[in-house]
Amino acid sequence: MFDMVFTNSAFVISFFVFIFGVQIYNLFLKTNKQNPDFLNIGFRILQWYKQNARDLPWRATKNPYNIWICEIILQQTQVQQGLQHYLNFVARFPDVKSLAEADTDEVLLYWKGLGYYSRAINLQYAARQIMQDFGGKFPTKHQDILKLKGIGKYTAAAICSISYQLPYPAIDGNFYRVFSRFFADDFDISKSNAFDYFSELTKDLIPKDNPGDFNQAIMDLGSGICKPKQPSCELCPLSKDCIASNTGTIDKFPVKIKKVKTEDIKLKYYFIHHNDFFVVKKRDRSSIWKNLYDFPEFLPKHLEEYISNHNTVKHKLTHKNLEIEFIAVSVPNIELLEQLAHDHNFNFVDYESSQQKSFPKPLENYIDKTFNK
């Protein structure tokens, strides 16, 4: 009996010693990070990156324009999906001037397939800002880059660190995941000041002579090794000092408490067509899918008899759930389409010419399905 009590007591004491030790170690990490050589983190990350960096076309340049374009593309797009789009985009719009002077419809056409078209609209707006406010030269100061339309703290930091070797941490989901786990830091990353908190937490870890590679290394480390699920800790250059890894709490970090509210939206479209021809219109700037093309949202009474079928699809946008009803209207002659387009300032297109216009993804899918493409 005495042996059992002693054994249980020893276990409890050992457990609390372990927990206390973890807390002390965590405190040690946080209080000693002000030393720029703290645990040699920057050096270890750069050495890992030197051997494991992904071969990506934008990494062959320090041109801030190219870095800007790739960062905007990758905001909502996986690398492999965005790769060819990046190459096509910078081939057609190789600099700020060509982007600023381009027709917006053409810019949107080159963005086709990436979604979130507001990014392309903002890119061109910012290019025109650069032409007007900076004489066509990409700004070199962090505060000036932040003034550009569509550029936030992360993108500005990425451009500054990669193109100008300025020690700004480019904090995205990968960055939050790597360092919240490394420090076992339970700061809620959904808070509005999360960027500033992690910037302060890690500012002395960034090598002053190579902040760009450091930030790109964290991108690769977070996406390929320190993944949201089933991370490959055995391959991580930071694993021996990572608190979450060493305490079996990887799945606890990062902490994200706030739930974003989603909005339910119902849309109704009339696909009014005759053979391969149909009518489209350009969306208003103030709505979702700004400047993209869609179908009429009303049907003149004299065309109601030509309704042929209904189809409903669901589509998710960031913070929005869409339920879209498509009503096909097959008119008997092309003159009815021409008159409709004339009366309501619609565009009159066939399938081939529609491919030169940018539609929201669910409408693009509907067109392709209708014409069996």
Side-chain angles (χ1 to χ4, degrees):
M1 182 69 175
F2 176 78
D3 290 343
M4 183 178 296
V5 171
F6 179 80
T7 301
N8 289 340
S9 298
F11 173 78
V12 171
I13 292 171
S14 298
F15 175 77
F16 280 106
V17 167
F18 171 75
I19 295 298
F20 181 71
V22 168
Q23 296 302 319
I24 291 296
Y25 184 53
N26 194 354
L27 181 63
F28 168 79
L29 289 178
K30 291 182 179 180
T31 55
N32 282 278
K33 70 177 183 59
Q34 65 267 23
N35 177 356
D37 293 324
F38 164 65
L39 294 182
N40 241 355
I41 289 176
F43 175 78
R44 286 153 61 185
I45 288 175
L46 289 178
Q47 285 297 106
W48 176 87
Y49 181 68
K50 190 174 181 179
Q51 298 173 11
N52 298 279
R54 288 176 290 180
D55 183 16
L56 300 170
W58 47 84
R59 289 183 174 171
T61 180
K62 301 294 184 184
N63 187 324
Y65 175 80
N66 294 70
I67 303 304
W68 173 43
I69 299 300
C70 87
E71 289 297 341
I72 298 300
I73 286 176
L74 296 179
Q75 279 178 2
Q76 302 283 351
T77 307
Q78 296 294 320
V79 169
Q80 288 308 311
Q81 181 188 354
L83 184 58
Q84 191 58 50
H85 284 89
Y86 165 81
L87 294 173
N88 293 342
F89 196 91
V90 296
R92 172 59 189 88
F93 312 110
D95 51 34
V96 169
K97 186 173 185 291
S98 59
L99 178 57
E101 294 178 351
D103 182 83
T104 300
D105 280 351
E106 186 179 12
V107 174
L108 292 173
L109 186 62
Y110 273 82
W111 202 262
K112 192 172 184 178
L114 288 171
Y116 299 96
Y117 284 86
S118 60
R119 293 181 293 169
I121 299 294
N122 289 341
L123 273 174
Q124 187 174 49
Y125 187 100
R128 290 169 177 171
Q129 280 183 279
I130 295 172
M131 294 300 296
Q132 179 176 326
D133 299 339
F134 300 98
K137 294 182 179 179
F138 205 96
T140 58
K141 295 180 180 178
H142 183 258
Q143 63 267 31
D144 289 335
I145 295 174
L146 277 173
K147 294 176 184 176
L148 300 177
K149 182 78 169 178
I151 290 186
K153 291 180 179 179
Y154 165 77
T155 305
I159 295 169
C160 284
S161 63
I162 296 169
S163 297
Y164 304 129
Q165 295 299 300
L166 298 175
Y168 289 93
I171 302 175
D172 64 351
N174 294 314
F175 198 103
Y176 283 131
R177 192 162 54 254
V178 169
F179 286 109
S180 66
R181 287 172 172 175
F182 182 79
F183 290 113
D185 196 302
D186 60 1
F187 190 90
D188 180 4
I189 66 169
S190 66
K191 288 186 175 181
S192 59
N193 61 335
F195 190 102
D196 294 336
Y197 176 86
F198 276 86
S199 181
E200 181 66 25
L201 181 68
T202 59
K203 66 179 182 180
D204 294 315
L205 308 182
I206 302 176
K208 300 297 186 289
D209 59 340
N210 202 350
D213 279 1
F214 177 87
N215 281 330
Q216 293 186 102
I218 298 301
M219 295 176 202
D220 285 6
L221 191 63
S223 61
I225 303 297
C226 193
K227 297 173 289 189
K229 295 181 179 179
Q230 298 181 326
S232 304
C233 295
E234 70 281 2
L235 301 177
C236 179
L238 303 180
S239 61
K240 73 182 183 70
D241 296 304
C242 175
I243 298 176
S245 177
N246 290 323
T247 58
T249 56
I250 282 286
D251 60 336
K252 305 292 185 186
F253 303 98
V255 173
K256 189 174 184 180
I257 298 173
K258 182 180 178 181
K259 291 186 177 180
V260 179
K261 292 183 179 180
T262 58
E263 179 185 4
D264 294 327
I265 298 176
K266 289 188 176 183
L267 299 172
K268 179 185 287 188
Y269 285 121
Y270 293 93
F271 182 71
I272 309 169
H273 68 102
H274 175 73
N275 296 332
D276 278 2
F277 292 89
F278 55 100
V279 291
V280 299
K281 63 181 179 65
K282 200 167 190 179
R283 287 190 66 84
D284 185 85
R285 279 182 171 272
S286 63
S287 62
I288 60 171
W289 297 326
K290 296 175 185 177
N291 288 335
L292 301 189
Y293 285 86
D294 64 359
F295 309 143
E297 295 170 85
F298 68 91
L299 182 67
K301 195 167 185 63
H302 70 282
L303 297 181
E304 289 180 356
E305 63 179 297
Y306 302 119
I307 292 176
S308 54
N309 63 65
H310 297 248
N311 184 29
T312 301
V313 301
K314 293 184 178 181
H315 186 75
K316 286 185 178 293
L317 296 175
T318 304
H319 313 325
K320 291 180 175 64
N321 297 318
L322 306 184
E323 183 176 296
I324 308 171
E325 182 182 7
F326 293 103
I327 301 173
V329 182
S330 180
V331 298
N333 58 69
I334 202 165
E335 287 75 21
L336 284 171
L337 286 185
E338 291 174 337
Q339 188 62 48
L340 180 66
H342 177 269
D343 291 346
H344 299 284
N345 198 29
F346 293 154
N347 291 90
F348 179 60
V349 299
D350 62 3
Y351 177 78
E352 291 301 323
S353 61
S354 74
Q355 298 305 292
Q356 300 305 310
K357 298 185 182 299
S358 299
F359 292 87
K361 190 63 177 177
L363 277 73
E364 182 181 316
N365 291 342
Y366 181 85
I367 293 170
D368 289 343
K369 185 177 180 180
T370 298
F371 294 106
N372 297 314
K373 301 297 183 180

